[in-house]
C-alpha cells in the first residue's frame, strides 16, 4: 500500500504545483546482484563469527567446512530474495517448507547437538562460579561432532534469516547487534575471549552496518512493479529523494569498517590477556553475577518466590524465597540497658518439627499408634518454670510497631509467663515489659546445673526424642556432610561437646559456603536442607540455621530452629537513642561496655534472623549463631532484584486452600456468604500482584486502544475540514448514519443504497418524534440529495 | 566549510559513553580506540578539504522543448577530478512551471562514489509554460559528517512546454502592408533603403511601383520587387497573454506560425509585457527561433484582458502593420496605419 500512498502524495503535488517530479534515475546504476552479494557477505560474516565464535570458545567439536558451506549457501539464498518480488515471496515459502521438513527429519540430532552445547556452556559456568551444580540435558547421540554440526546449521540458518531482515531489509545496526552479540557475551561474561578473527569479523559487520545505515544509502527495495531507484518522501512542502544503494559506497564502507575494527579488536584483546581476577570487581558485573549464579543453580524458576513475603519472619517456610527483600521499616522498638557485647536474640517463632521444607511449632507425633499433638504452648509452660541461676536481672520494654502480632518476642533467658502487656500503642500494637536474665558471655554455660525439667516425662521425650528427629529422605546427605566435618553421632555429648560440634559445623560453613541474600529458590521436589548441603552451598540465615539444627539432631544433639529479631551492639551504636531512664532500673549489674545508659533502638526487618537453639542440660535451649558472615559486599541495589519479584507469586506453590480460613455458617447462611467472600478476599490476597498488574495493564491497553482510535478519527476529520475535503467528510457522516440505523435495527439490508438508508432514517425520525418531546427536524430529501451529489459526482 | 554541531555533539556523547564504559569495566584499551576515533576526525576533515573543490556540476536537458503530457528530462551531472571519492551530496533544487510558481523545496541525495555520474530528473507538467529547474545549493559532507561544504552553482535551465500540434488554422491570405516606400520612408527617417531583397510574383494589391517591368515583359508575367525595408514591419503576430485563454492562445499561435511558414510569409512574433508595456519582436524562421520566442513569451507575465496588447500596440506603433491578433482560439486581422 505504500506505493499507493506515494502515488497519492505525489499526484497531489501535481495538482497543487502543476508539476510532478517523476522517477529519478541514475545513469551509472549499481548492479543489483552485486549489491545483494555484498549484503550476503555481511550476513555470512555475522552469522559465522557468532556461531563459530561461540562453539570454538567453548571448544565444542563441529565440522567447520560444513558450517561454512551451509552458511554461504544460506546467506546467498536469503540475500537473493531481494532480487525480485516474486523471488521474495516464493523464497520464504520454499525456505519454510524445506526448513520444516529438515527439522522433522533431523530433530533428534539437532536437539542432541543443542543439548551438548548447553551442557558444555553450563559446565564452564559452574566451574567459573565454583558451583556444584550439574546440568543433565539429555544427549541422544554420543557423536557430538555430528550433532553439534547439525544443530549449528539449523541455528545458523535461522540466524541468517533474521540477519537478512536487519541487514538486507532495514540495515539496522542495533538490531544486528542484539541478534548476534548476546551469544558472544555468553563467553565474554566468564572471561572466555573468542578468537580475535571472530571479534574482528563481528566488529567489521557492526561498523559497516552502522555506516550504511546512517549514510542512508543502503536500502534495497525488493524489485517489483512499484519499486524506485530513489526512495522518496515528503514533509510539508519539502520533497526528499534518496538514492538507495551504491556498490562503491558499500566497498568504501567496508574499507573504513575494516580500518576501524582491526586495531580496535587488537587493542582490546592485548589488554584482556593480562591476568585478571576471576570474578571482576566492578559494580554492574557483581550484580549480574548474582543473577547468573541463581540461574545456573536453579534455572529460571530460581528467580521466582514461592510466596510474596520475603522480609521479616518467614514463620518456618523454607525454599520458596529466591532472595530476601527487607523493606527497612521499623518492626520493633526496644528500650533496654546494653550491658555486654553479646547480640540479643528476640525469639518469636520456634521450629520444632521439620517436614517438607517447613518448620512447625506444633506438630503431631505417632505415639504407639496414636497421633499425639505436641503444642508449643505446652512446652513453653514447662520451660517457663526453669530458674536461671546465672546472669543479672534485666528489664526490656518492647513495642511492636510493625512486626507480626502472632508472636511475642522476647530475649533469652526469660519466663514467658512474666511478660507483661504494658499497654497498647496508638496503632493498637502491644507494648511489653519483659524481665530477663541476659547472658554476658559463653563462659556462663560452663557450670553444670541439674536439669529438673528433664524429670518431666513429656518434656524429656520432647527434648530427647522429638528434638532429635530429622527427615529420612536426606539421611545420606547428612551423614556424608558429617563425615566431611569429622563428627560422629553420640547419645552422650556433654554441654561443652555439644557447643563444640555446633562450632565445627559453623567452621565447615565458613570454609565451604557463601552467605548471600539471593541464593535462589530451592527447585521443586527437592528438600531445602538437602539441596543446601549437597549442591547450593550458599544461602542466608534460614539455610544455615535449618541445616545446622538437622545436622545437630543427626549427631544426637537436641536442637531447635528459631526465628525472630537480633539486636547487635553495632545497631545500638548506629541508631540507639539514650533515654532518661535510670540504668539501674533496667539492669541490676554493671555494664562491661562503654554505654551506661538506657537506650531505645528501632529494629527494622533487615534484623529479622534465624538461628539455632541447642539444648544444654541445666540451661535449656540456648541460642547459637549458625550463619556465617558475608564475604562479599551485599549492599547491591535491591531494586534490581525486585524486578524478578514481579513474576513471583505466579507459582504460589506454598499456598494451600486449606491454609485459608474455613467459613462457618449459621442458620441463615449469611455467615457462610461472608465467609465465602472472606475466602475470596483471602484467596485473591494471596494472588500475586502480578495478576492484578496484568489485568490493570490489559484494561489500560484496551482503553488506550479505544482512545487512540478516537484520536485518529478526530485528527482525520480535522484534516478533512482543513483541506475542505467535502467528499470524505460527507462519506464519514453518511457511514455514521448508516451504522446508527443498523444498530437501531432500522436497516437490515447488507449493501444498502442511499434510498434504503433514507427510508430507514425517515422511519427512525418518525419513531423518535413520537417518543420524545423535542423532535428531530431534518429535511431528509435535501440531505440525501446532497449526499448523493457529493459522493457520486 | 561549516561544522555540523549536531554531529560533533553526538560524537561527544559517544566518546563520553566509551570513557564511562572503560572505567566501569576497567578496560583502558577502550581509551586507545577513543584516541584512534579522535584521530579520524582531523584526518577526515583534511582529506575533505583537499578534494571538496575538485567537483564540477552541470545541468542540461534532453530536448530543447517538449509537448505537454511528456516529461521534461533534466540531466544533472557531476565530475570529480580528484582521486578519492566522497560519500554523498545533497542537491537542493527548485522546479516549477513559470506560470504556476510554487515554493516547494526538493532535496536530492546522490552518491558521489564515481568519478562521473549523471542523474535524470524527469518532470511532468500538465500545463504549457516554461519548466524551470534551478540548482540552488549542493551540500557535501566529509567522511565523518563533521564538516560540510556548500556550493552555489547558479545552474538554471528552462524548457518550454508547448501544446501538441493541433489542426492547422486557416488564415486568409494576407497582403503585407508595404509599409513606407523608399520615398515616404525618407520623409520620416531620411534613410532610403533601395535594396531589393527578392523578386516574386504579383499579388493583387501590390503597388505598381514595385512591378519589375523588365522581367515581367521578358517572362510574360507580372513580377514585383520586394525591397529590404529597414524600418517597417509587414505582418505581426500579436498573441494576447490572457490568463484564462493562454493554453488556446499558444496553441493557436503555433498553428498560425506553422501556416504562415508554409506559405512562406514573412512575419514577426510580438511579445507584450504588461508590466513594462514593451514589445519584443522575434523573426521566426525555424525551430530554434520559435523556441527562443516561446521561451521569451512564457517569461512574460500573464494578465486578464482580451485586447490589452492590441490596444497598446495600436496606440504606440506609428507604422503601417498587418496585425494577426490571437486570443484563445480566435484569430483576427487588423491593420495599423500612420
Amino acid at each position: 500500500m505504500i506505493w499507493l500512498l506515494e502515488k497519492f502524495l505525489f499526484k497531489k503535488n501535481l495538482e497543487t504545483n502543476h508539476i510532478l517530479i517523476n522517477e529519478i534515475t541514475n545513469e551509472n546504476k549499481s548492479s543489483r546482484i552485486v549489491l545483494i552479494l555484498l549484503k550476503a557477505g555481511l550476513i555470512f560474516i555475522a552469522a559465522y563469527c557468532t556461531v563459530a565464535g561461540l562453539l570454538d570458545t567453548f571448544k565444542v567439536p563441529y565440522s567447520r567446512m560444513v558450517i561454512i558451506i551451509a552458511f554461504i549457501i544460506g546467506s546467498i539464498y536469503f540475500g537473493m530474495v531481494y532480487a525480485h518480488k516474486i523471488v521474495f515471496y516464493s523464497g520464504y515459502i520454499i525456505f519454510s517448507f524445506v526448513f520444516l521438513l529438515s527439522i522433522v527429519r533431523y530433530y533428534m540430532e539437532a536437539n542432541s547437538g543443542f543439548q551438548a552445547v548447553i551442557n558444555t556452556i553450563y559446565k564452564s559456568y559452574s566451574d567459573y562460579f565454583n558451583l556444584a551444580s550439574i546440568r543433565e540435558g539429555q544427549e541422544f547421540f554420543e557423536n557430538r561432532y555430528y550433532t553439534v554440526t547439525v544443530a549449528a546449521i539449523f541455528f545458523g540458518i535461522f540466524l541468517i534469516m533474521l540477519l537478512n531482515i536487519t541487514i538486507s531489509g532495514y540495515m539496522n545496526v542495533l538490531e544486528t547487534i542484539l541478534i548476534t552479540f548476546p551469544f558472544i557475551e555468553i563467553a565474554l561474561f566468564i572471561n572466555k575471549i573468542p578468537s580475535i578473527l571472530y571479534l574482528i569479523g563481528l566488529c567489521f559487520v557492526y561498523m559497516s552496518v552502522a555506516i550504511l545505515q546512517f549514510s542512508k544509502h543502503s536500502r534495497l527495495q525488493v524489485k517489483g512493479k512499484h519499486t524506485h531507484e530513489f526512495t522518496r518522501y515528503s514533509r510539508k512542502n519539502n520533497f526528499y529523494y534518496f538514492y538507495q544503494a551504491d556498490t562503491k559506497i558499500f566497498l568504501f564502507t567496508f574499507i573504513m569498517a575494516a580500518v576501524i575494527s582491526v586495531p580496535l579488536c587488537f587493542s582490546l584483546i592485548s589488554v584482556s590477556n593480562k591476568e585478571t581476577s576471576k570474578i571482576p570487581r566492578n559494580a554492574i558485573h557483581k550484580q549480574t553475577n548474582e543473577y547468573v549464579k541463581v540461574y545456573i543453580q536453579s534455572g529460571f524458576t530460581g528467580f521466582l518466590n514461592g510466596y510474596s513475603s520475603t522480609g521479616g519472619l518467614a514463620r518456618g517456610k523454607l525454599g520458596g524465597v529466591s532472595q530476601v527483600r527487607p523493606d527497612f521499616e521499623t518492626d520493633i522498638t526496644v528500650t533496654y540497658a546494653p550491658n555486654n557485647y553479646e547480640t540479643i536474640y528476640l525469639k518469636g517463632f520456634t521450629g520444632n518439627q521439620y517436614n517438607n521444607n517447613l518448620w512447625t511449632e506444633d506438630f503431631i507425633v505417632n505415639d504407639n499408634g496414636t497421633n499425639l499433638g505436641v503444642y508449643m504452648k505446652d512446652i513453653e509452660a514447662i520451660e517457663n518454670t526453669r530458674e536461671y541461676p546465672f546472669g543479672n536481672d534485666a528489664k526490656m520494654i518492647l513495642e511492636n510497631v510493625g512486626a507480626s502480632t502472632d508472636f511475642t518476642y522476647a530475649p533469652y533467658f526469660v519466663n514467658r509467663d512474666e511478660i507483661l502487656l504494658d499497654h497498647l500503642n496508638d496503632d493498637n500494637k502491644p507494648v511489653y515489659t519483659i524481665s530477663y536474665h541476659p547472658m554476658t558471655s559463653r563462659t556462663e554455660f560452663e557450670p553444670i546445673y541439674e536439669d529438673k525439667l528433664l524429670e518431666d516425662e513429656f518434656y524429656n521425650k520432647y527434648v530427647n526424642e522429638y528434638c532429635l528427629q530429622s527427615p529420612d529422605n536426606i539421611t545420606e546427605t547428612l551423614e556424608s556432610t558429617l563425615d566431611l566435618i569429622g563428627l560422629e553421632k553420640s547419645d552422650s555429648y556433654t554441654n561443652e561437646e555439644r557447643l563444640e560440634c555446633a562450632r565445627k559445623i559453623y567452621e565447615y560453613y565458613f570454609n565451604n559456603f557463601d552467605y548471600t541474600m539471593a541464593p535462589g529458590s530451592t527447585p521443586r521436589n527437592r528438600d531445602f536442607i538437602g539441596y543446601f548441603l549437597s549442591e547450593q552451598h550458599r544461602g542466608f540465615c534460614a539455610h544455615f540455621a535449618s541445616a545446622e539444627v538437622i545436622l545437630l539432631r543427626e549427631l544426637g544433639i537436641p536442637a531447635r530452629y528459631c526465628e525472630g529479631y537480633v539486636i547487635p551492639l553495632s545497631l545500638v551504636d548506629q541508631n540507639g537513642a539514650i533515654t532518661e531512664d535510670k540504668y539501674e532500673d533496667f539492669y541490676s549489674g554493671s555494664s562491661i561496655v562503654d554505654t551506661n545508659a538506657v537506650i531505645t533502638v528501632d529494629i527494622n526487618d533487615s534484623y529479622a534472623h534465624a538461628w539455632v537453639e541447642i539444648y544444654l542440660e541445666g540451661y535449656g535451649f540456648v541460642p547459637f549463631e549458625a550463619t556465617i558472615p558475608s564475604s562479599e559486599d551485599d549492599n547491591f541495589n535491591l531494586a534490581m532484584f525486585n524486578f524478578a519479584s514481579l513474576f513471583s507469586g505466579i507459582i504460589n506453590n506454598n499456598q494451600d486452600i486449606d491454609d485459608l480460613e474455613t467459613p462457618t455458617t449459621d442458620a441463615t447462611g449469611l455467615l457462610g456468604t461472608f465467609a465465602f467472600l472472606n475466602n475470596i478476599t483471602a484467596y485473591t490476597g494471596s494472588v500475586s500482584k502480578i495478576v492484578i498488574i496484568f489485568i490493570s495493564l490489559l484494561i489500560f491497553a484496551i482503553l488506550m486502544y479505544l482512545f487512540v482510535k478516537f484520536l485518529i478519527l478526530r485528527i482525520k476529520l480535522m484534516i478533512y475540514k482543513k483541506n475542505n475535503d467535502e467528499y470524505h467528510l460527507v462519506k464519514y457522516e453518511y457511514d455514521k448514519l448508516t451504522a446508527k440505523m443498523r444498530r437501531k435495527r432500522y436497516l437490515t439490508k447488507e449493501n444498502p443504497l442511499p434510498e434504503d438508508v433514507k427510508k430507514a432514517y425517515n422511519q427512525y425520525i418518525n419513531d423518535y418524534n413520537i417518543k420524545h418531546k423535542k423532535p428531530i427536524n431534518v429535511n431528509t430529501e435535501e440531505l440525501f440529495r446532497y449526499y448523493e451529489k457529493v459522493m457520486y459526482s | 566549510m561549516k561544522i555540523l554541531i549536531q554531529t560533533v555533539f553526538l560524537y561527544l556523547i559517544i566518546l563520553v559513553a566509551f570513557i564511562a564504559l572503560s572505567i566501569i569495566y576497567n578496560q583502558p584499551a577502550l581509551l586507545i580506540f577513543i584516541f584512534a576515533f579522535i584521530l579520524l576526525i582531523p584526518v577526515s576533515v583534511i582529506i575533505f578539504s583537499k578534494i571538496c573543490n575538485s567537483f564540477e556540476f552541470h545541468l542540461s536537458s534532453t530536448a530543447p522543448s517538449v509537448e505537454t503530457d511528456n516529461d521534461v528530462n533534466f540531466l544533472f551531472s557531476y565530475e570529480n577530478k580528484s582521486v578519492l571519492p566522497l560519500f554523498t551530496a545533497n542537491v537542493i533544487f527548485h522546479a516549477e512551471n513559470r506560470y504556476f510558481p510554487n515554493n516547494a523545496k526538493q532535496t536530492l541525495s546522490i552518491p558521489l562514489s564515481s568519478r562521473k555520474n549523471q542523474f535524470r530528473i524527469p518532470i511532468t507538467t500538465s500545463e504549457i509554460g516554461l519548466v524551470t529547474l534551478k540548482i540552488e545549493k549542493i551540500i557535501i559532507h566529509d567522511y565523518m559528517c563533521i564538516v560540510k561544504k556548500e556550493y552555489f552553482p547558479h545552474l538554471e535551465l528552462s524548457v518550454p512546454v508547448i501544446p501538441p500540434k493541433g489542426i492547422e488554422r486557416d488564415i486568409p491570405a494576407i497582403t503585407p502592408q508595404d509599409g513606407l516606400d523608399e520615398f515616404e520612408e525618407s520623409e520620416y527617417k531620411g534613410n532610403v533603403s533601395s535594396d531589393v531583397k527578392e523578386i516574386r510574383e504579383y499579388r493583387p494589391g501590390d503597388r505598381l511601383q514595385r512591378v519589375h517591368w523588365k522581367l515581367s515583359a521578358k517572362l510574360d508575367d507580372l513580377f514585383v520587387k520586394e525591397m529590404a525595408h529597414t524600418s517597417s514591419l509587414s505582418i505581426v503576430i500579436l498573441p494576447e497573454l490572457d490568463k484564462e485563454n493562454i493554453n488556446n492562445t499558444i496553441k493557436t499561435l503555433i498553428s498560425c506560425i506553422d501556416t504562415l511558414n508554409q506559405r512562406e510569409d514573412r512575419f514577426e512574433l510580438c511579445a507584450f509585457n504588461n508590466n513594462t508595456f514593451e514589445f519584443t519582436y522575434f523573426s521566426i524562421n525555424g525551430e530554434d527561433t520559435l523556441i527562443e520566442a516561446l521561451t521569451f513569451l512564457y517569461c512574460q507575465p500573464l494578465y486578464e484582458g482580451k485586447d490589452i496588447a492590441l490596444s497598446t500596440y495600436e496606440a504606440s506603433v506609428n507604422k503601417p502593420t498587418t496585425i494577426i491578433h490571437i486570443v484563445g482560439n480566435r484569430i483576427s486581422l487588423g491593420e495599423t496605419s500612420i
Side-chain angles (χ1 to χ4, degrees), chain A residues 377-563:
Chain A
K377 61 178 178 14
D378 298 332
I379 296 161
E380 273 178 5
I382 299 171
E383 287 181 342
N384 284 339
T385 61
R386 187 185 292 280
E387 288 173 6
Y388 299 103
F390 54 82
N392 293 304
D393 294 329
K395 186 172 94 173
M396 179 185 283
I397 297 174
L398 191 147
E399 183 181 353
N400 188 333
V401 177
S404 169
T405 50
D406 292 344
F407 307 108
T408 306
Y409 306 94
Y412 293 87
F413 294 86
V414 70
N415 182 338
R416 283 185 171 253
D417 284 342
E418 291 175 11
I419 295 175
L420 299 172
L421 175 60
D422 208 50
H423 63 276
L424 296 174
N425 63 13
D426 296 336
D427 294 322
N428 243 10
K429 293 281 179 81
V431 178
Y432 296 102
T433 302
I434 305 168
S435 301
Y436 67 109
H437 300 268
M439 183 68 71
T440 54
S441 75
R442 294 282 144 181
T443 56
E444 291 195 30
F445 289 140
E446 284 172 7
I448 299 168
Y449 297 106
E450 190 189 350
D451 198 328
K452 287 188 181 163
L453 264 63
L454 286 178
E455 290 169 9
D456 182 287
E457 190 188 331
F458 169 71
Y459 192 71
N460 194 316
K461 200 169 190 178
Y462 166 74
V463 169
N464 291 309
E465 197 176 311
Y466 302 149
C467 287
L468 290 176
Q469 284 175 350
S470 59
D472 296 327
N473 56 345
I474 56 167
T475 307
E476 214 177 297
T477 309
L478 296 172
E479 283 172 359
S480 61
T481 307
L482 290 170
D483 281 341
L484 281 171
I485 300 169
L487 291 171
E488 282 179 2
K489 187 171 179 170
S490 169
D491 293 332
S492 56
Y493 277 120
T494 62
N495 283 355
E496 200 181 321
E497 284 167 347
R498 288 178 180 184
L499 287 173
E500 186 57 29
C501 288
R503 273 188 222 109
K504 280 193 173 171
I505 295 171
Y506 178 86
E507 272 174 29
Y508 171 71
Y509 284 160
F510 191 86
N511 293 325
N512 297 286
F513 285 59
D514 291 320
Y515 178 90
T516 175
M517 285 170 80
S521 59
T522 305
R524 277 178 183 274
N525 304 323
R526 292 292 305 269
D527 183 80
F528 176 82
I529 293 170
Y531 180 67
F532 171 70
L533 288 174
S534 62
E535 290 178 44
Q536 198 173 20
H537 290 199
R538 52 204 295 267
F540 46 87
C541 54
H543 296 76
F544 293 100
S546 302
E548 177 134 8
V549 167
I550 297 298
L551 284 169
L552 287 170
R553 288 185 176 190
E554 189 66 19
L555 285 173
I557 299 169
R560 297 194 301 203
Y561 168 83
C562 295
E563 287 179 3

Side-chain angles (χ1 to χ4, degrees), chain A residues 68-313:
Chain A
I68 289 174
I69 294 169
F71 283 17
I72 287 173
I73 294 170
S75 304
I76 293 174
Y77 178 84
F78 279 106
M80 281 298 174
V81 298
Y82 279 85
H84 198 275
K85 213 157 222 165
I86 297 170
V87 179
F88 183 83
Y89 290 117
S90 59
Y92 275 111
I93 293 169
I94 293 169
F95 163 73
S96 306
F97 186 65
V98 170
F99 194 80
L100 186 65
L101 280 178
S102 308
I103 274 286
V104 167
R105 165 65 183 88
Y106 292 103
Y107 167 73
M108 298 297 279
E109 289 90 335
N111 187 47
S112 187
F114 182 71
Q115 295 296 337
V117 172
I118 296 297
N119 286 342
T120 309
I121 294 172
Y122 196 83
K123 185 165 183 323
S124 300
Y125 267 72
S126 297
D127 292 342
Y128 181 79
F129 289 110
N130 284 329
L131 298 171
S133 46
I134 299 167
R135 186 182 184 275
E136 294 170 7
Q138 192 174 5
E139 296 176 49
F140 296 101
F141 295 88
E142 280 185 14
N143 185 355
R144 279 189 168 186
Y145 186 82
Y146 167 63
T147 58
V148 170
T149 305
V150 171
I153 290 172
F154 279 111
F155 175 72
I157 295 296
F158 183 71
L159 191 66
I160 285 169
M161 189 182 73
L162 292 177
L163 285 168
N164 191 45
I165 297 167
T166 66
I167 293 179
S168 288
Y170 297 109
M171 196 61 78
N172 188 303
V173 64
L174 186 62
E175 288 172 9
T176 306
I177 292 173
L178 284 173
I179 289 171
T180 52
F181 191 72
F183 299 104
I184 300 297
E185 177 63 17
I186 291 172
L188 292 174
F189 192 83
I190 54 170
N191 282 350
K192 280 186 179 294
I193 314 293
S195 163
I196 192 164
L197 287 175
Y198 299 127
L199 292 178
I200 290 174
L202 279 176
C203 200
F204 166 77
V205 170
Y206 298 153
M207 293 282 172
S208 302
V209 173
I211 294 170
L212 288 169
Q213 179 187 351
F214 292 115
S215 72
K216 291 195 176 74
H217 284 282
S218 57
R219 290 285 305 270
L220 195 68
Q221 278 188 0
V222 177
K223 194 169 179 185
K225 195 176 164 188
H226 299 290
T227 51
H228 309 292
E229 231 173 282
F230 282 78
T231 52
R232 43 196 194 157
Y233 65 95
S234 71
R235 201 181 293 155
K236 288 185 186 172
N237 209 16
N238 299 329
F239 298 86
Y240 300 88
Y241 309 89
F242 282 95
Y243 189 65
Q244 289 216 51
D246 183 74
T247 309
K248 287 185 183 137
I249 286 182
F250 267 68
L251 293 170
F252 198 60
T253 303
F254 291 165
I255 293 168
M256 265 187 81
V259 163
I260 296 171
S261 312
V262 171
L264 172 64
C265 293
F266 269 110
S267 61
L268 283 173
I269 294 298
S270 65
V271 177
S272 299
N273 280 335
K274 285 188 183 170
E275 284 281 328
T276 54
S277 67
K278 210 167 184 185
I279 300 174
R281 292 281 168 206
N282 63 68
I284 297 173
H285 210 166
K286 256 173 49 178
Q287 290 184 42
T288 50
N289 273 349
E290 296 298 322
Y291 277 112
V292 172
K293 281 183 197 174
V294 167
Y295 176 74
I296 290 168
Q297 279 222 299
S298 317
F300 185 67
T301 54
F303 294 110
L304 303 178
N305 284 336
Y307 44 90
S308 51
S309 167
T310 63
L313 272 61

Side-chain angles (χ1 to χ4, degrees), chain B residues 44-75:
Chain B
S44 170
V45 172
I46 290 168
I47 294 174
F48 178 71
S49 63
K50 298 284 181 212
I51 63 178
C52 65
N53 292 321
S54 56
F55 282 87
E56 278 179 11
F57 300 98
H58 306 281
L59 182 65
S60 59
S61 73
T62 55
S65 69
V66 294
E67 290 181 1
T68 48
D69 296 329
N70 285 327
D71 285 349
V72 179
N73 286 306
F74 290 97
L75 298 172

Side-chain angles (χ1 to χ4, degrees), chain B residues 94-244:
Chain B
H94 179 67
E96 68 177 358
N97 183 331
R98 281 281 180 109
Y99 282 155
F100 304 98
N102 67 73
N103 56 0
K105 203 168 114 178
Q106 320 278 349
T107 304
L108 173 68
S109 179
I110 55 170
L112 293 180
S113 50
S114 308
R115 272 283 182 88
K116 277 187 205 179
N117 209 342
Q118 195 174 61
F119 300 91
R120 181 184 293 259
I121 306 173
I123 297 179
T124 301
T125 178
S126 52
E127 311 283 345
I128 58 148
L130 197 67
V131 174
T132 307
L133 190 116
K134 184 180 172 187
I135 306 291
E136 290 174 354
K137 197 162 59 171
I138 300 172
I139 303 171
I140 301 179
H141 296 100
D142 70 309
Y143 303 105
M144 305 281 288
C145 286
I146 300 278
V147 292
K148 67 175 181 184
K149 186 176 169 67
E150 292 179 351
Y151 287 93
F152 296 94
H154 303 298
L155 293 171
E156 185 173 346
L157 192 62
S158 299
V159 173
V161 176
I162 56 178
K165 283 194 179 169
I167 306 166
E168 277 186 17
R169 297 300 302 270
D170 187 22
I171 303 166
I174 300 166
T175 304
Q177 284 204 23
D178 258 346
L180 304 171
D181 63 19
E182 58 269 33
F183 305 106
E184 287 165 330
E185 198 172 312
S186 65
E187 282 180 38
Y188 290 94
K189 296 224 174 141
N191 185 17
V192 176
S193 166
S194 58
D195 293 334
V196 177
K197 198 167 177 183
E198 61 174 3
I199 310 282
R200 58 171 173 81
E201 280 186 4
Y202 175 82
R203 289 181 202 148
D206 283 341
R207 294 175 76 167
L208 289 174
Q209 288 97 327
R210 293 279 170 246
V211 176
H212 197 300
W213 296 112
K214 214 172 182 178
L215 189 64
S216 299
K218 268 192 184 173
L219 299 176
D220 202 23
D221 202 352
L222 278 172
F223 288 93
V224 295
K225 287 178 277 192
E226 188 77 45
M227 307 307 288
H229 300 287
T230 56
S231 62
S232 64
L233 300 169
S234 51
I235 302 174
V236 165
I237 304 178
L238 183 66
E240 204 71 55
L241 299 181
D242 174 40
K243 228 183 241 182
E244 260 184 53

Side-chain angles (χ1 to χ4, degrees), chain B residues 20 28 35 40 171 183 210 253 260 331 337:
Chain B
F35 181 66
L40 274 176
I171 303 166
F183 305 106
R210 293 279 170 246
L253 170 68
L260 290 175
I331 300 174
S337 55

